[in-house]
Amino acid sequence: MNTKNASKSTSADVFEAVSAHLNEMRSAITEPIRVREEDLANQLGVSRTPVRQALIRLESTGMISLRPGRGALLEPVSDRDYIEWLQLREQLEGFAAREATLNASQRDVMGLRAIFAPFAQPHIAESKAAEYAQANVAFHAQIMRLANNSLLERVWASFGHTQTSYRRKTISRLHRSADSLREHLEIIDAIEQRDADLAESLARAHVRALHVAFEQADGQPDASISFSQK
């Protein structure tokens, strides 16, 4: 195996591992916490150098702030972060749905339907909110994968679904489970019909509806409001 390519792969793997680990930590905090490079390396079983490189990359996303000699400061997601993510996400989801429609096989469509098969009966999505939230995350990640755009996938992974809507349990909190399920199935129908324009429009409308519901529930975004106050 080419040593140069192996090194790149290892660095990419460590970045993904650090990003996922910090996202998980971020989901549980309401105040900034300090993260030590050495601790991360030990927890992930890797050397400190690729961890340091990953932290430098993640600083550009706003997830952490690097303090020379003091490690990294992991920031919680604010309401303003979430609103700005939804604004960006509307564009990303529309593009991804269009591309997925052009790329998806019938088998892929069946896979998308299978994600929501456990929630086919009325009110199941509402009664199994945690499971539905996981299905929601899986669906959007699969749409991103089907778009077959590596940059899009990296943006999605970096700014991530898991660090915003999954943590906030937005769907159940805003009582959007039934609407969310219907919207997802409509997007799948459009993909199966190979109607790229419709899939894009529905995907954008799906995110826009979430954005509107969130603002109606919480008012204008306030970066000082923490998860625990919601």
Side-chain angles (χ1 to χ4, degrees):
M1 183 177 185
N2 185 285
T3 303
K4 186 175 180 181
N5 288 340
S7 176
K8 286 183 178 179
S9 176
T10 300
S11 296
D13 290 343
V14 172
F15 173 78
E16 293 298 331
V18 171
S19 179
H21 184 74
L22 293 182
N23 274 329
E24 185 176 350
M25 291 177 62
R26 197 182 195 197
S27 72
I29 64 175
T30 59
E31 300 293 338
I33 61 170
R34 197 164 304 285
V35 178
R36 297 177 65 241
E37 177 186 302
E38 183 178 3
D39 292 341
L40 279 175
N42 289 337
Q43 289 168 0
L44 298 174
V46 297
S47 66
R48 293 178 63 174
T49 298
V51 170
R52 184 180 307 118
Q53 294 170 343
L55 291 175
I56 290 171
R57 286 179 61 185
L58 288 170
E59 184 178 33
S60 67
T61 71
M63 182 191 299
I64 61 170
S65 301
L66 294 178
R67 309 292 178 87
R70 299 173 60 191
L73 197 66
L74 181 65
E75 303 282 352
V77 179
S78 70
D79 283 357
R80 183 166 297 158
D81 290 334
Y82 186 59
I83 291 295
E84 289 178 353
W85 167 244
L86 287 179
Q87 292 170 338
L88 174 60
R89 186 179 151 192
E90 182 179 335
Q91 310 306 314
L92 297 179
E93 294 262 19
F95 172 79
R98 168 175 285 278
E99 295 300 304
T101 302
L102 300 176
N103 296 329
S105 66
Q106 186 59 34
R107 185 173 183 177
D108 292 324
V109 172
M110 291 172 63
L112 291 174
R113 293 198 184 281
I115 292 173
F116 296 113
F119 311 100
Q121 297 301 315
H123 311 301
I124 296 295
E126 291 92 333
S127 63
K128 295 186 175 181
E131 292 88 342
Y132 184 76
Q134 292 174 351
N136 178 58
V137 171
F139 171 75
H140 290 285
Q142 182 69 349
I143 293 293
M144 294 296 155
R145 187 189 69 78
L146 290 174
N148 195 29
N149 184 301
S150 59
L151 178 57
L152 175 65
E153 287 190 72
R154 290 199 297 273
V155 170
W156 185 257
S158 295
F159 291 94
H161 210 271
T162 55
Q163 73 191 32
T164 51
S165 59
Y166 181 69
R167 168 60 186 92
R168 286 174 175 272
K169 297 180 175 60
T170 313
I171 293 170
S172 60
R173 181 166 158 262
L174 299 178
H175 306 291
R176 269 189 48 78
S177 297
D179 288 339
S180 171
L181 178 59
R182 173 181 51 76
E183 291 160 8
H184 286 145
L185 294 178
E186 288 174 349
I187 293 169
I188 295 172
D189 287 344
I191 292 173
E192 186 169 31
Q193 294 162 13
R194 312 302 175 196
D195 191 333
D197 289 341
L198 180 59
E200 177 178 5
S201 176
L202 289 171
R204 286 176 180 268
H206 172 63
V207 181
R208 197 177 308 123
L210 177 58
H211 186 171
V212 170
F214 182 81
E215 288 200 318
Q216 288 177 342
D218 290 325
Q220 293 301 311
D222 182 348
S224 67
I225 299 175
S226 69
F227 289 131
S228 61
Q229 294 172 299
K230 288 303 181 182

